[in-house]
Structure formats: structure tokens, C-alpha cells
Amino acid sequence: MEMIKNALGRMVPSEINGRPVKPYAGAFADMVSGKRKAAPPIPRCFPGRVNKVINGLDAALDKLPLRDGMCISFHHHLRNGDYLVNAVVEKLAQRGFKDIVLAPTALFPVHDKLIPYIESGVISHVEGSMNGDVGLACSLGKMKRTATLRSHGGRVRAIQDGDLHIDIAFIGASAADCYGNANGVLGKSACGPLSYSNVDSLYADCSVVITDNLVPFPCIPWSIQGGNINYVVTVDSIGDPAQIVSGTTKLTKSPTQLLIAEYAARFVDEIGYIREGLSFQAGAGGISLAFNVYLAEMMKKKGFTASFAHGGGNTVLVKMLEEGALKYICEGQCFDLDAVRSLRENDNHVESTLSISYNYHAKGCIAHMLDIGVLGATEIDLNFNVNVNTHSDGLLLHGTGGFPDVAAGSDVTIITAPSFRKRIPIIRENVTTVTCPGELIDVVVTERGICINPKRQDLIDKTKNSKLPIMSIDQLMDEVYKITGVPEKVELDDKIVAVMEWRDGSMLDVIRKVKT
Amino acid sequence: MSVNILDRVAAGKADKSDVLIVCHKKEAGHGVKVTVKSSVRAFFGKHIESLVARKINELQITDILVEVDDNGALDFAILARLEAALIKMGHNVTKPLLDDACFDHFNPDFSRLRRSRLYIPGNNPDLIINAGLFGADSLILDLEDSVAPEQKFDTRFMIRNILTCKNNFLGASERIVRINPLSCEYGLADLEMIVPARPDIILIPKCETADDIIKIEKIVAKLEQSHGIPKQILFMPLIETARGVINAYKIATASKRSVALCFGAEDFTRDIGCERTRDGKETFSARCSIVYAAKAAGIEAIDTVFSDIEDSEGLRKSTVEAQSIGFCGKGLIHPGQIRIVHEVFAPTTEQIQYANRVMQAIEDAKSRGLGVIALGSKMIDAPVVERARKTLELAAKMGIDTAKKEVR
């Protein structure tokens, strides 16, 4: 394996787990000329009525084509309330399988139970987002092979382009019929869309719907379509939907977070984007949700209606939709149960697949139709490069989500973050890990200063007479250092434990083992 | 060095942005040892260790173990905790451990706007470090009700360091410290620590007689002189008992330093033996009395705190009512309340337009040599002119562009 310097000056490997990869060459570089997408095996419909139902996970695993080294996938629509990843991995471990590649769309603290299986080699590595202790285990070098982190759109691309081959896709559904049509809006475990699993159902060798609510054929709406499903497995419960609301999806009371959200909304107003037909996406996290509240207030005051909100549905957006301040919500996941209800009942609240939403290797995606994208970060550097995955001490603790896709697509990408957390400054000379290149970041909003990327002279001009605390990013870093002091440099191990893959499959950066 | 050194002393707590410091007395020959546990150890572990060791060495303490349990505290907070611990232990600390006291922001000013006065618990550095960002007219660093008795000692060092720190954490807000009443064991020690740190205003709680103010003024004046403080620190008496209400005028006129009388409904309702209600009928008469006493003394009156942070409509209503009976400001406990209070106290567009027309009419009358001034069919007399002048003055102070709002 060779290390190559990419377009951001980061040293990246030429292959990952034996698969050759290219260095990052720019946010919209061409990595595809002359290539075709991957394709799943060709199935056949046998004569007669179809019934794919199997009772219980054990009986299902008896039938599935299991093997060492296989890649299995899951969605995270139930977020911290998911029961399935732990249950399936535990049963595979009991059956003695090892070297499994786990390809979830994200993992949450509830999945901390996977750690022993990572340590024992049942799971060789993760391809997908990792939150909490699984990320920590990866940082400490406990995974046998190198993990790959991808954005939502990047994961879809990797599957479609053949970089990530899924052997068996497990798709939890709160309602499904005997044929495999399924949705996430009906039943006791309703958690919203099933959009994360759409691509899995289309491209996996074998796709399995797991449900705790078998309904008569046809199951409508059908977020997952039975023509793509091999088996339907019935279980007592797929998870606890009450747990989809977590710390990152609650409205904040923190005065500092509220101030940052208010600054961001005022900035959007001053650059002239509070207007008829505004489209926006504000992700999870207290500041983003509060931003939605301020934005709604401003739109209402001026009598404008937003055209669509994209991303995670939540109670604030639902209120806007129901009050007529917003025409449509197009979403891939729900952040609370109010959003689940709205998705079920409101025709203007629709589910969109991750390919339609975020995929760079598609013929357009919704993220590229956004006016405003508001996103969080753990670090931002003087070149506006953003890190959302690792902390400054090198620990991998957060997933990527749709960050790079939204940043690449939005007219104006705004990062909201406190200027320091505890004593740790957010603005650094260099980020620990690049999640998203600075060329896609337009504005950084903190409680102590707002920095506009010098590439956006238009935004600088529009806010020339602003009363907002606008300053250069160097100045903000210096001011924060005056408060916190300059942090010591953290030494990391040479061993690469994970790679950051850009939307197009190129190598953006690496994550190194943390010294213990 | 003192001979009565305690074996083990602690100060602070390992909450966010704070630090717990535990000092252990050691036998001769042990030397100075500092251990650092910290949530930011990877970035500031070495810095914290050397900062603490340097201060210990400067004090010529030779044998001690200092255990630092840090959760992201900034240096001013670490040094406040260390100083409190060392003094409690019996060491002789003659000057503050925080280097280069900065008094650049000391600016006692009678004529400031005081629409919003926000209480900040003085022992919570996490709330203090961002307190200056929200645009409150005044910030009250509290040593009294929000600080438990066993924390009063540590809190004085925290507030002193905040006031004298080179980093201005309090923004452009007026700097007020609420001390404990002089009648209790903490009041005098509060003044001795806080006055040299030069707050703009001392908020004096539970004022019941003129004498309460006079006693404090004597102590403050003496401290100002001995510390060479160039301007007089101002007072804000807080009235929160029936006796205080009855004596309000005497309290207001007891010292030339007093800028406003404040009302405290929580203690007042307890004192008169009734429940505090949402519409505040039980305090209405007391609040009016305080306004009259303050105005008669030529100073302002500021209303009690509104304590339900979720109820923004209730806050608006309460503020409108406070303004309607003559208060110029409101007490607050959350920065989210500031905007509403400032909105209520801002003159309306109609008021500004009317004031502009009044001033214009005076100009017109002057230029035409007329003695009697009329606006439309109405005569304009002195109180009307005075009110118009005040409206425009207030609007200008609040940064409202009065010219723009003129519609002719």
C-alpha cells in the first residue's frame, strides 16, 4: 500500500482492505467516465401465490446464505431504539460466523453491545457511520480491518458503483405484507420512512424484511417494494420508536445555542434569502432545530412561504407545514414522533430515497436544489475544512450523516457551532479529520463571531453594514485562543483505523489510531 | 507562613467549565506535587499542571499535594479555586493569584439604560463565560440567594476574578454584584473582596432602613480610598420586605450613590405571608410605593424578576404592566427573556413620530417668534415637550433610528 497526497494535502492510502482507491481530487471531480453501475443477481418469479414469511429470526437464519466474511446491512430509522442489529449479530456469533462486514447507515449508543463482537473478530470492520462506543473501539484500533466512513449519499453511491457489496440486507419495518412490501409509518413500531434501506433492497444479493406487524397484502404505502425482497421475517418487536428522539434531536434551552441559531437566521435574512419559495435543510442537533424556529418566525413575519424542507423531519417543520408556512417536507428520516404522524397523514410530507436526496452519482439530487443548509461541526480550520467525525483528541465519535451532500448542494452552507466546547476551541489551524472540504463551506456562525469564506465575496458584500459580529476566521481563532489558551498538539499513532471517503469514492482523509 | 495549616481542603466542583481542587498538607521534604485529572487533559493537561505548580512556588509553599479534577475550567476559574483552597487551608496569600488585574471595564454611570438586569449565579463559571454575549443592560453576579452558604467563600474569588480578568466575559453589560446583607456573617467579607474588584454597582438585598445603606456606604468609601479606586461605585437597593416598602423613600435618599430602587417579590410575599400569584395583585401596591419613592428621590425603579422562562407571553404582559406603572426595567433569570423586555421598553413608532412632530412644532414656533405652541388643534405645554424629549432620548439610547421613523 502506498500513501499519496490528495488535493487537500492529506496523505491517503492507495488501497483499502485490498481494494484500490483514488485520492480526493476536488469536490466535483470526475471519477466515473466510462464506468457502469453494479447490478444485483437476476432473480426469477416462480409460479403460484407468493408467501415469503418466516416465523422468527432463527428460522430465517437457517434459510439465509450465511458465510464468514459476508457483508450485512441495516438502516437506522429507529435510531437509539433499534433492536435488530444487536439481535442479528448476536445470533450470527452464536452460529460461529466471523469476519462479518457490518454496513449500517448509522450506529447509536444502543449498539455499544457490539463491542465484544468487534473484539472477538465476529465483526471485522464497519462500513458506514459510527456513533459512540463503536467509534471509540475503532479509534482504539480494535477493528481487524480498516473501517470506511461515508456520507448518506456516499453510501448509496458505493453500493451502486460496486465498491460496497451487500450480501444480506436486513430491513426492519413497522408494517409489511407476506410479499415484502413494507413501510415505517404504520404499526406500533412506526419510525417514519424506510428510505435508507431502499438502495440495500435493490442491490443486495438477498434482502430480508423484518417486521413486528404483518398486514394483509398489499401493504400500502410501500416504501420498500416486495419485488425486491427475498424473505419476510416476523418478530415480537423491531425496536422502540420512543427512542428516535435523542439528545441531538431535542429543542435546546441553552442560551448560547439559541444565540448561535438566532445569528444564523439573521444572517440568512441579511443575505436576502428570507423570501418566497425558500428551500432549506437544517440537520439534527439543538442549534439546527432552534434555527428552524427562528427561520419560521422570520418567514411568518414577512408573509413568505417556504417551498420545501429537506432532511430529518421534526416537530418544528411539521408545525410550519400545518400552518401553511412550508409547502412540502421531503425527508429520509424522522427525528420525532410528530414527524412520523405527519408523514403518515399529510400528503405534502413525503419520503425520499437516499439516492434521490443525496447521491452525487445520480442524475441530480434534492440536496443540489437547496438554498440554505445549516450543519454542525466538531472542528473547522482556517481553510474552512470541517470535521464532524472526530474530536480534537482524535477519537472517532460521530457519524457523517448527510453533511458533505448538503454542503455540496446548498447555495449557502452555514456551519453553526459554539466557538469552544468546555475549553476546546472549534476553530483550529488544521482540522484533525476532514469530513468536508472548505471549498463547500460558506459561513461559520459561532456565538463570538461569524466568518464568511473569502470565496463568497457576494455574501461579504451583502453583509458589509451588518450589526452581526462578522470577522475573519483567523481573527475568530485568535480571539478564542485568548480565552482558552492554545491547545497542545495531540500525537496520534501511525496506524490507520478508518478512512473518510468523499461522495465520489475518492479518499478524503484517514483516521489514525489514538495512542493509549 | 502560618503554622495552623489544615490537613485537607477542597474548593470548587468538577462541573462543566469548573474545577475541583483538593490540597493536602504534606510533611517537610515531600515537595510540591500537582496531579491533574481533566476532560481536556490531551490539550491543557501540561498547562494546568505548570500553572498550579508555578503559583504554589511563588507563594513559597514547599510541601503540598494539589489534586486538580478539571472539567474544562479556564485559568481565571482554576486560579479562583486554587486561591480559595489555599487560604482556607491557612496559607498566607497576600495578592490575587490571577495576574495583572484589569479594570478597563469599570465604568459606573448613573444614566445607563437598565431595562434588563439578568441574574447569574456567581459560583457557576459555565454560565458566566458567555453572559456578556446576550446584550443585557446589566448583569448581576450573585453572591446571595443562588449561592449555598458553604459556597459563599469560594464564590467571592470566582466573582472577583471574573471582574478583574483580562478577558471581558461580561461584554458591554453593566457589572453588578449582589452581596449578602451586612446583617449576616457574609456581608462584610463580600464587600472586602468585591469592592477592590470594582463592580459598577453593588446590589444591596433586603434593604429595610436608610441605615442599611449608610453603613455599607461607609465601608465602601473606606475600601475605595484604601484601594485607590478613581470613581464611586454605585448602589442599587433591593427592597423585599414590608418594612423596606414603608421606608422606601428614606432608603432611596440615604446615599447619593443609589441609581435605582429594585423590588423583590419572592421575599416580599413571604414576608407579608401570602402566595405569589401570576397576576401579582398582592404586590401591586408595594410596587407602586417603590416607584413613587424612587421618583420622589429622583432615581429609577426596577421591577422584580419574572421567573417562568417558558412563559414568554406572561413575561411580555408582566413587563407591559411594569412599564405602565412607572418601572424602567425588569429582573430576569434567562438570556432568552432579554429580547421581549427590550421590545416592551422601546418607544413605539407612533410615540417616536409624535415626539418628532412635537419637537418640529417647537422649532416652527421659535422660527416664527410665536410664544404659544400648537400641534394640530392641541396646545403643547411643558410636560408634553419634556415627555417628547425623553421619548427621543430613550429611542436614541436604544439605537433606534428616530429620523427614519418620521412620517410626514
Side-chain angles (χ1 to χ4, degrees):
Chain A
M1 185 189 71
E2 192 191 340
M3 294 299 282
I4 310 164
K5 193 185 260 189
N6 72 12
L8 290 176
R10 300 260 164 169
M11 296 305 289
V12 294
S14 58
E15 60 169 74
I16 301 297
N17 301 330
R19 179 172 67 87
V21 289
K22 289 184 174 169
Y24 170 82
F28 301 100
D30 176 13
M31 297 277 167
V32 292
S33 290
K35 290 188 179 169
R36 306 193 74 83
K37 289 203 194 264
I42 300 174
R44 279 186 300 146
C45 290
F46 294 98
R49 295 288 175 107
V50 180
N51 188 351
K52 306 173 186 173
V53 177
I54 305 172
N55 190 9
L57 267 183
D58 285 306
L61 294 181
D62 288 342
K63 287 201 174 181
L64 293 174
L66 306 176
R67 62 175 174 83
D68 289 339
M70 67 188 157
C71 174
I72 60 174
S73 79
F74 298 87
H75 67 63
H76 74 275
H77 289 292
L78 278 153
R79 298 178 76 83
N80 205 38
D82 171 69
Y83 293 169
L84 294 182
V85 181
N86 292 346
V88 170
V89 171
E90 192 188 334
K91 286 185 188 298
L92 292 175
Q94 282 165 4
R95 289 170 187 240
F97 290 102
K98 58 182 196 304
D99 292 336
I100 295 167
V101 181
L102 188 62
T105 52
L107 292 177
F108 284 82
V110 68
H111 302 117
D112 292 354
K113 291 205 174 101
L114 297 175
I115 305 292
Y117 304 118
I118 292 169
E119 288 172 343
S120 67
V122 171
I123 297 170
S124 81
H125 66 288
V126 171
E127 301 225 6
S129 280
M130 292 177 261
N131 284 10
D133 279 4
V134 177
L136 188 68
C138 178
S139 282
L140 298 175
K142 289 184 179 171
M143 282 182 195
K144 212 162 147 187
R145 305 180 82 192
T146 310
T148 299
L149 300 178
R150 299 185 173 99
S151 68
H152 289 332
R155 181 179 183 275
V156 173
R157 180 215 61 78
I159 294 170
Q160 292 184 351
D161 292 5
D163 292 346
L164 175 59
H165 177 79
I166 296 169
D167 292 295
I168 305 174
F170 293 95
I171 304 168
S174 65
D177 62 27
C178 63
Y179 185 72
N181 295 306
N183 68 55
V185 292
L186 302 172
K188 64 173 180 175
S189 305
C191 55
L194 294 181
S195 46
Y196 286 120
S197 286
N198 177 276
V199 68
D200 304 46
S201 76
L202 292 167
Y203 282 80
D205 284 0
C206 179
S207 302
V208 182
V209 163
I210 306 176
T211 189
D212 51 11
N213 177 31
L214 191 67
V215 299
F217 179 91
C219 174
I220 306 281
W222 47 37
S223 306
I224 297 293
Q225 292 173 320
N228 303 315
I229 299 301
N230 298 72
Y231 299 107
V232 177
V233 182
T234 55
V235 294
D236 290 339
S237 176
I238 60 166
D240 174 12
Q243 301 290 319
I244 65 177
V245 182
S246 68
T248 56
T249 58
K250 270 187 199 146
L251 260 181
T252 181
K253 284 195 187 103
S254 148
T256 307
Q257 292 200 340
L258 290 169
L259 182 70
I260 296 167
E262 191 191 333
Y263 278 169
R266 278 171 58 191
F267 186 89
V268 169
D269 188 17
E270 291 191 11
I271 59 174
Y273 274 73
I274 300 294
R275 62 189 183 197
E276 188 60 30
L278 170 77
S279 61
F280 64 98
Q281 172 157 3
I287 300 174
S288 293
L289 291 185
F291 168 82
N292 283 336
V293 175
Y294 288 115
L295 188 78
E297 223 171 76
M298 286 177 172
M299 292 288 283
K300 199 171 159 187
K301 218 175 192 171
K302 298 197 176 182
F304 293 137
T305 307
S307 59
F308 74 94
H310 187 231
N314 60 64
T315 185
V316 179
L317 295 180
V318 168
K319 194 162 168 255
M320 279 182 86
L321 186 72
E322 289 172 354
E323 285 176 351
L326 171 64
K327 282 188 182 155
Y328 298 99
I329 298 174
C330 309
E331 68 164 29
Q333 65 174 319
C334 287
F335 287 154
D336 55 45
L337 295 178
D338 219 16
V340 177
R341 173 193 56 79
S342 171
L343 179 65
R344 181 170 54 235
E345 295 171 0
N346 193 329
D347 288 343
N348 295 329
H349 188 160
V350 298
E351 174 173 345
S352 95
T353 70
L354 275 279
S355 185
I356 290 171
S357 278
Y358 295 125
N359 188 2
Y360 175 50
H361 287 175
K363 294 162 186 171
C365 62
I366 300 175
H368 288 213
M369 301 293 284
L370 288 165
D371 290 335
I372 301 288
V374 177
L375 302 157
T378 59
E379 291 179 321
I380 304 131
D381 69 22
L382 297 179
N383 295 314
F384 287 80
N385 295 316
V386 172
N387 173 14
V388 304
N389 299 99
T390 58
H391 284 200
S392 301
D393 53 10
L395 289 175
L396 168 61
L397 294 174
H398 307 282
T400 307
F403 189 116
D405 309 310
V406 173
S410 306
D411 248 13
V412 181
T413 299
I414 301 172
I415 307 302
T416 53
S419 64
F420 60 97
R421 288 190 177 94
K422 285 188 186 168
R423 196 177 179 162
I424 304 165
I426 297 292
I427 313 286
R428 309 298 308 275
E429 286 90 345
N430 285 296
V431 287
T432 308
T433 310
V434 182
T435 306
C436 185
E439 67 177 283
L440 300 175
I441 306 302
D442 300 306
V443 188
V444 176
V445 178
T446 74
E447 82 289 1
R448 286 185 160 76
I450 296 174
C451 316
I452 304 174
N453 193 328
K455 286 183 178 164
R456 292 302 301 262
Q457 189 59 43
D458 57 329
L459 301 182
I460 294 170
D461 292 343
K462 279 180 185 162
T463 51
K464 228 173 21 210
N465 300 316
S466 174
K467 281 183 183 163
L468 291 169
I470 293 172
M471 59 184 73
S472 78
I473 197 157
D474 298 69
Q475 193 187 346
L476 180 59
M477 185 182 79
D478 290 345
E479 288 203 2
V480 173
Y481 277 0
K482 266 186 220 156
I483 294 170
T484 62
V486 180
E488 290 155 34
K489 211 169 150 41
V490 176
E491 295 287 332
L492 295 172
D493 199 284
D494 283 342
K495 183 184 155 79
I496 295 168
V497 294
V499 292
M500 295 293 315
E501 193 183 275
W502 183 237
R503 301 176 81 205
D504 60 8
S506 63
M507 291 295 104
L508 191 63
D509 205 353
V510 298
I511 295 175
R512 290 180 192 276
K513 188 180 160 196
V514 170
K515 281 187 181 170
T516 42
Chain B
M1 230 167 79
S2 166
V3 280
N4 296 317
I5 302 293
L6 299 179
D7 285 341
R8 181 188 177 281
V9 167
K13 52 204 178 331
D15 291 352
K16 189 177 168 217
S17 306
D18 204 346
V19 59
L20 171 68
I21 289 191
V22 184
C23 298
H24 300 264
K25 179 178 157 184
K26 289 292 168 185
E27 67 286 357
H30 173 277
V32 175
K33 189 167 181 236
V34 179
T35 63
V36 177
K37 192 182 136 204
S38 171
S39 60
V40 297
R41 194 185 158 77
F43 312 103
F44 296 102
K46 284 180 203 149
H47 166 80
I48 294 170
E49 193 182 324
S50 77
L51 177 72
V52 171
R54 179 160 59 85
K55 292 295 169 184
I56 299 282
N57 288 330
E58 279 172 17
L59 291 167
Q60 297 178 335
I61 298 168
T62 48
D63 302 290
I64 191 170
L65 167 63
V66 183
E67 290 174 325
V68 179
D69 184 358
D70 168 66
N71 195 1
L74 298 172
D75 285 357
F76 79 85
I78 295 171
L79 293 176
R81 298 314 191 193
L82 179 64
E83 187 172 340
L86 292 174
I87 292 176
K88 279 194 282 192
M89 203 176 187
H91 289 290
N92 186 19
V93 182
T94 49
K95 70 179 187 61
L97 296 187
L98 184 70
D99 291 322
D100 306 330
C102 165
F103 300 114
D104 294 352
H105 305 285
F106 176 54
N107 182 25
D109 177 2
F110 253 88
S111 63
R112 291 183 65 126
L113 282 174
R114 295 190 180 88
R115 299 160 295 181
S116 51
R117 56 180 181 103
L118 177 65
Y119 280 91
I120 311 278
N123 206 31
N124 188 334
D126 192 52
L127 293 179
I128 295 171
I129 52 183
N130 284 345
L133 300 172
F134 304 104
D137 289 336
S138 314
L139 291 173
I140 301 167
L141 301 169
D142 189 22
L143 267 164
E144 200 213 7
D145 287 350
S146 67
V147 179
E150 66 276 11
Q151 292 176 349
K152 303 272 187 201
F153 187 87
D154 294 1
T155 305
R156 287 184 200 116
F157 293 89
M158 186 60 71
I159 293 182
R160 183 206 60 196
N161 281 10
I162 282 285
L163 289 171
T164 57
C165 182
K166 265 182 290 186
N167 285 310
N168 174 19
F169 292 105
L170 306 177
S173 302
E174 181 172 52
R175 299 154 160 241
I176 303 180
V177 176
R178 177 164 75 172
I179 59 165
N180 290 283
L182 205 55
S183 56
C184 77
E185 58 181 303
Y186 310 111
L188 180 61
D190 288 349
L191 285 173
E192 286 172 344
M193 177 76 83
I194 296 306
V195 168
R198 305 184 192 181
D200 297 323
I201 290 190
I202 291 169
L203 179 62
I204 306 166
K206 307 206 171 55
C207 291
E208 298 204 304
T209 66
D211 202 40
D212 291 340
I213 306 293
I214 294 164
K215 275 185 187 154
I216 286 180
E217 176 153 41
K218 277 187 188 150
I219 298 165
V220 170
K222 218 170 148 190
L223 286 166
E224 281 172 344
Q225 202 182 13
S226 61
H227 286 86
I229 298 175
K231 286 185 199 163
Q232 280 197 341
I233 293 168
L234 303 174
F235 292 168
M236 201 182 263
L238 178 54
I239 291 174
E240 35 195 348
T241 60
R243 195 165 172 229
V245 172
I246 298 302
N247 291 327
Y249 178 72
K250 288 179 189 156
I251 293 169
T253 50
S255 164
K256 291 254 179 287
R257 295 171 186 251
S258 292
V259 298
L261 289 185
C262 295
F263 178 59
E266 212 57 67
D267 283 287
F268 179 80
T269 46
R270 196 183 324 135
D271 184 52
I272 65 169
C274 67
E275 287 292 311
R276 191 174 172 194
T277 63
R278 271 178 66 96
D279 62 3
K281 249 183 239 151
E282 70 286 354
T283 59
F284 185 77
S285 161
R287 290 154 75 214
C288 289
S289 302
I290 284 171
V291 172
Y292 305 154
K295 299 287 172 170
I299 63 176
E300 296 288 356
I302 303 176
D303 197 13
T304 188
V305 294
F306 188 83
S307 43
D308 184 352
I309 60 169
E310 302 272 314
D311 182 7
S312 53
E313 269 325 293
L315 170 64
R316 189 177 293 275
K317 225 174 115 186
S318 166
T319 310
V320 166
E321 194 221 31
Q323 188 198 30
S324 74
I325 62 174
F327 284 110
C328 75
K330 195 76 193 149
L332 305 174
I333 55 162
H334 191 279
Q337 299 177 311
I338 294 168
R339 185 167 65 153
I340 290 174
V341 168
H342 287 192
E343 273 170 22
V344 171
F345 281 105
T348 63
T349 311
E350 291 73 33
Q351 285 167 339
I352 292 170
Q353 286 173 353
Y354 181 73
N356 273 331
R357 285 205 298 274
V358 169
M359 301 318 273
Q360 189 61 48
I362 294 169
E363 287 303 310
D364 290 350
K366 263 189 199 159
S367 64
R368 286 153 59 191
L370 296 177
V372 184
I373 309 163
L375 184 59
S377 60
K378 275 189 188 162
M379 285 276 289
I380 295 177
D381 50 12
V384 174
V385 176
E386 185 52 26
R387 178 168 309 184
R389 206 191 308 279
K390 277 215 161 137
T391 299
L392 294 177
E393 196 182 287
L394 196 61
K397 264 191 196 173
M398 294 180 193
I400 299 168
D401 186 351
T402 52
K404 221 166 147 184
K405 294 210 171 177
E406 168 69 319
V407 180
R408 299 205 74 175

